[in-house]
Amino acid sequence: MSNSLSKHYTQSFKTVIQFHDIDPMGVMWHGNYPRLLETARDLVFKKFNYGYQQMVESGYMWPIVDMQIRYKGYIKLHQEVEVSATLKEFENRFLFTYTIKDSTTNELLTKATTTQVAIKVATGELLFAIPDEIIAKFKHLD
């Protein structure tokens, strides 16, 4: 995938961290980060008309088989952050990279990656390549 198309594969949103997101030390609990990543990833999939409903209808499911999160800084109660997801690979797997930045200072707070693979729902078969009809949904920008 060429770098000139990367803007088409990135989606972002802003959110303010709420009380239910933080731990007793007053910072965002580490287990809540995947929820933010999921929201950003879903925005990318929806851009290609392949949200969760379309995934179900396509006959494939996409479990996350790897998730890496690097905490560069902490996120506090009521802090506004911008969460971005970028689809980096979509031929053998879906590989996403993420950033979470402070909305005011643009300070990088978190970097992450996730990897998803295709499983054919009808058979439970793990596929080692994304089916052609799914790749076509993402390649139309090339």
Side-chain angles (χ1 to χ4, degrees):
M1 180 168 45
S2 72
N3 288 334
S4 64
L5 294 178
S6 63
K7 66 179 178 168
H8 298 292
Y9 296 96
T10 299
Q11 292 291 300
S12 301
F13 74 98
K14 291 182 179 181
T15 189
V16 175
I17 303 307
Q18 300 300 313
F19 178 76
H20 61 264
D21 293 318
I22 64 168
D23 67 17
M25 292 180 276
V27 297
M28 190 158 121
W29 179 60
H30 68 277
N32 282 328
Y33 286 76
R35 182 177 45 81
L36 296 178
L37 305 180
E38 174 74 20
T39 301
R41 185 174 59 249
D42 185 45
L43 291 173
V44 173
F45 281 134
K46 284 179 179 174
K47 181 171 180 66
F48 295 97
N49 196 30
Y50 197 59
Y52 291 111
Q53 185 61 41
Q54 290 80 18
M55 287 180 189
V56 169
E57 292 168 359
S58 75
Y60 300 99
M61 61 179 156
W62 302 91
I64 291 178
V65 296
D66 186 56
M67 178 183 296
Q68 303 288 321
I69 301 176
R70 177 136 332 209
Y71 304 98
K72 301 277 201 185
Y74 59 89
I75 300 174
K76 303 176 296 244
L77 178 64
H78 298 142
Q79 184 174 6
E80 184 179 67
V81 295
E82 181 173 19
V83 184
S84 298
T86 301
L87 178 60
K88 291 289 192 177
E89 181 184 321
F90 57 87
E91 293 191 16
N92 296 313
R93 60 191 177 166
F94 286 130
L95 175 65
F96 282 89
T97 60
Y98 306 86
T99 59
I100 302 176
K101 295 181 178 182
D102 181 279
S103 293
T104 303
T105 66
N106 208 33
E107 176 188 1
L108 178 63
L109 301 168
T110 308
K111 291 174 64 175
T113 62
T114 59
T115 302
Q116 293 172 261
V117 296
I119 293 181
K120 195 169 193 171
V121 173
T123 63
E125 175 187 7
L126 172 67
L127 305 178
F128 293 101
I130 294 178
D132 290 340
E133 67 268 26
I134 305 304
I135 289 176
K137 290 180 173 291
F138 294 88
K139 285 225 174 184
H140 76 276
L141 293 176
D142 285 345

